[in-house]
Amino acid sequence: MERKNAWEAYTKEEMEELESLNQDYLHFLNQGKTERECVTEIVKQAEDHGYKNLKEIQKDGKKIQIGDKVYVVGMKKIVALFQIGKQPIEQGMQILGAHIDSPRLDVKQNPLFENSDFAYLDTHYYGGIKKYQWVTLPLAIHGVVVKKDGSVIEICIGEKEEDPVFCITDLLIHLSQQQMEKKANKVIEGEDLNLLIGSRPLASEEKEKVQAGVLELLKQQYDIEEEDFLSAELEIVPAGKAREAGIDRSMIMAYGQDDRVCAFTSLVAMLETEEVERTACCLLVDKEEIGSVGATGMRSRFFENAVAEILDAMDQYNELTLRRTLANSKMLSSDVSAAFDPTYASAFEKKNAAFFGRGLVFNKFTGARGKSGSNDANAEYMAFLRKVMEDANVYYQTAELGKVDLGGGGTIAYILSLYGMEVIDSGVAVLNMHAPWEITSKADVYEAKKGYVAFLKCK
Ligand code: MN
Ligand code: MN
């Protein structure tokens, strides 16, 4: 049952394809460090490949038909791409799903304060993080500030070479005797995640002079007032670019690979696949890291509504056709898997762990403690996928998140399964999951994309 390492068998052509795909992946990671930035980049790439905004088609009173490529965006944070297949759509679609939100620190609504001649932004972390990993790193601010008149100011500070960066401080080791005795989840507490943003007081009579200086700069450079933080979405992420890792350059080290590694590979597979039999769909969602909530999370009706609009644009909408289209669909719900880490081997069960270089990972079930919250895919569906992957010479492996009683995690798979479609958790193995810098294998990126293409081509 041991799976082979894909690196050992690559031809020269495959290595070239692999490297070129991973260069594109680095670019994607650098363009999209927030869900909004990802949607902008995804729409740009989709339009370059002939996809059209469904809303524009509808506005022109036009219809869609076999071969047409369209996309639907919700609130700039969730996106679905469709390519209409030759088969009647009510026989189901082939859906690739992944999420584009990542763990980070969000700026609070009333964030700015001054203490001891330092100005800070107060934050609330988003998703599951080891808080102690987010201190003493260069950090960047990405996001939007929306003014009362509706104008949107885009913010990105800390990514350009000449930009300033930000930081959350930690206590020096010399004085950490008590801190070092604390449990890891208490070493840095949530309310101590204060982003240091300034230290130069204004030469004025004002009370909080450093804060006043920061506000003056925000006004000059961005036309933002302190009250405008009330209608802002500012995300604090590690500053800096995605990099190749290892002397053999076999890996990628970057922020936000959970789950942009699956979003990117799903997107590329969708964009390069033409003339599909079954309608192809690529669904990239927000809010997975906080339970798929909100209007842009998987639990919203966004996707169901988008499919209803597709049917309507094909003159086929009725409730039963919508139900059949969804129920007859098949989905690869992709999210990162925990890569086996020999340094922490005791957390894994080696027979059922995901390894770097062994390809696309299928998790029949995820969940925590007794499969709780798991989608638990059907054996029949897993058998179907084994054949699809093997016929296309895709390296794949099966895995669980870790040892049975140690923890667990959820994905979006169970939400799609509510429609009665076949869904399985799949994806790419990652080291340091949810840390500021996560690591993946270039071979797994390559095999995932190959696997997704094979899936979209199914009859
Ligand atoms: Mn994830
Ligand atoms: Mn995650």
Side-chain angles (χ1 to χ4, degrees):
M1 294 284 276
E2 177 123 339
R3 318 299 298 184
K4 286 212 177 80
N5 192 311
W7 286 109
E8 293 173 34
Y10 286 142
T11 62
K12 193 163 164 276
E13 287 74 41
E14 285 171 322
M15 280 298 292
E16 278 165 16
E17 267 181 45
L18 178 153
E19 289 299 342
S20 142
L21 178 71
N22 277 282
Q23 291 308 315
D24 293 346
Y25 178 41
L26 290 170
H27 174 79
F28 183 83
L29 287 167
N30 292 334
Q31 292 303 117
K33 288 177 105 169
T34 68
E35 57 283 2
R36 282 175 189 259
E37 290 172 356
C38 282
V39 166
T40 303
E41 177 65 18
I42 291 159
V43 165
K44 181 179 167 286
Q45 293 196 19
E47 287 181 345
D48 288 348
H49 283 79
Y51 282 76
K52 296 205 166 69
N53 189 337
L54 183 63
K55 279 226 170 92
E56 300 294 322
I57 294 172
Q58 288 170 321
K59 217 189 284 167
D60 297 342
K62 292 203 182 118
K63 294 288 164 187
I64 58 174
Q65 54 202 351
I66 294 168
D68 280 355
K69 299 169 176 179
V70 297
Y71 68 86
V72 182
V73 171
M75 299 176 190
K76 305 174 188 171
K77 296 187 236 178
I78 182 170
V79 57
L81 280 65
F82 298 87
Q83 188 183 149
I84 309 303
K86 294 169 199 153
Q87 232 178 56
I89 194 168
E90 73 173 348
Q91 289 179 24
M93 303 179 287
Q94 297 294 104
I95 306 168
L96 297 174
H99 69 91
I100 49 177
D101 60 316
S102 296
R104 60 178 189 255
L105 311 175
D106 282 345
V107 172
K108 286 190 184 183
Q109 296 277 270
N110 188 2
L112 192 60
F113 67 99
E114 174 168 340
N115 191 342
S116 313
D117 295 346
F118 288 123
Y120 296 96
L121 287 178
D122 209 343
T123 69
H124 191 143
Y125 60 96
Y126 173 98
I129 59 167
K130 288 180 167 179
K131 295 183 278 280
Y132 64 78
Q133 293 178 333
W134 291 72
V135 296
T136 72
L137 293 169
L139 296 167
I141 304 176
H142 290 235
V144 294
V145 178
V146 186
K147 308 272 286 181
K148 274 191 289 185
D149 66 5
S151 58
V152 179
I153 300 159
E154 309 237 3
I155 308 280
C156 180
I157 313 170
E159 298 296 351
K160 292 199 203 94
E161 199 99 318
E162 65 273 19
D163 276 358
V165 291
F166 308 92
C167 186
I168 292 163
T169 56
D170 192 4
L171 186 61
L172 61 165
I173 182 66
H174 314 68
L175 298 179
S176 290
Q177 209 165 310
Q178 283 179 347
Q179 188 199 34
M180 297 300 275
E181 298 297 321
K182 289 184 184 176
K183 284 190 164 179
N185 65 355
K186 296 278 181 195
V187 168
I188 302 290
E189 302 210 41
E191 280 304 343
D192 295 335
L193 294 172
N194 300 322
L195 190 74
L196 179 59
I197 59 160
S199 71
R200 191 171 74 202
L202 277 191
S204 75
E205 292 307 303
E206 279 180 79
K207 232 176 109 202
E208 286 160 332
K209 294 177 187 170
V210 179
Q211 183 175 321
V214 168
L215 284 169
E216 195 178 82
L217 284 172
L218 288 177
K219 179 72 188 160
Q220 280 169 7
Q221 293 178 12
Y222 298 97
D223 194 25
I224 298 168
E225 322 260 354
E226 188 172 7
E227 292 256 315
D228 292 329
F229 279 116
L230 293 175
S231 48
E233 282 177 8
L234 296 173
E235 306 181 8
I236 314 298
V237 299
K241 290 199 155 108
R243 310 280 292 263
E244 293 176 309
I247 193 129
D248 55 7
R249 298 174 185 264
S250 60
M251 297 169 281
I252 301 282
M253 186 165 190
Y255 163 69
Q257 298 198 73
D258 175 4
D259 181 33
R260 295 179 189 131
V261 66
C262 298
F264 167 76
T265 43
S266 294
L267 174 70
V268 172
M270 182 74 181
L271 297 182
E272 75 171 45
T273 306
E274 303 271 349
E275 298 187 15
V276 288
E277 286 295 319
R278 283 162 68 80
T279 293
C281 173
C282 179
L283 172 62
L284 302 171
V285 305
D286 179 28
K287 299 281 186 282
E288 192 279 337
E289 295 294 356
I290 57 168
S292 297
V293 293
T296 54
M298 192 61 239
R299 279 153 78 175
S300 82
R301 293 288 175 98
F302 167 82
F303 181 60
E304 188 180 321
N305 291 346
V307 176
E309 294 288 356
I310 292 285
L311 291 173
D312 187 54
M314 296 170 76
D315 273 334
Q316 291 187 38
Y317 176 74
N318 67 56
E319 184 64 14
L320 188 59
T321 307
L322 174 63
R323 304 266 145 238
R324 284 177 178 158
T325 301
L326 290 165
N328 292 329
S329 290
K330 292 190 175 77
M331 181 179 195
L332 295 183
S333 171
S334 289
D335 206 340
V336 287
S337 245
F340 180 79
D341 186 337
T343 307
Y344 303 97
S346 65
F348 298 87
E349 191 269 282
K350 222 170 166 181
K351 297 193 304 311
N352 290 286
F355 287 81
F356 262 30
R358 298 190 193 173
L360 182 56
V361 184
F362 289 100
N363 305 85
K364 185 176 183 299
F365 39 84
T366 56
R369 290 165 288 266
K371 293 191 182 179
S372 174
S374 170
N375 165 61
D376 207 352
N378 288 315
E380 287 84 350
Y381 186 42
M382 186 63 223
F384 164 81
L385 291 169
R386 283 171 60 198
K387 174 139 176 56
V388 171
M389 296 302 143
E390 281 166 30
D391 287 352
N393 295 315
V394 174
Y395 282 81
Y396 73 94
Q397 53 186 327
T398 59
E400 290 188 43
L401 189 56
K403 272 191 179 160
V404 172
D405 281 333
L406 277 194
T411 62
I412 60 169
Y414 76 96
I415 306 163
L416 276 301
S417 71
L418 296 172
Y419 294 112
M421 68 174 75
E422 295 278 21
V423 191
I424 192 165
D425 279 293
S426 51
V428 174
V430 61
L431 285 173
N432 299 350
M433 194 191 296
H434 283 205
W437 298 95
E438 300 171 316
I439 304 174
T440 54
S441 161
K442 283 183 178 176
D444 296 333
V445 172
Y446 179 61
E447 295 300 326
K449 194 274 286 179
K450 261 169 65 187
Y452 298 151
V453 170
F455 177 77
L456 291 181
K457 285 184 173 161
C458 286
K459 292 201 174 150

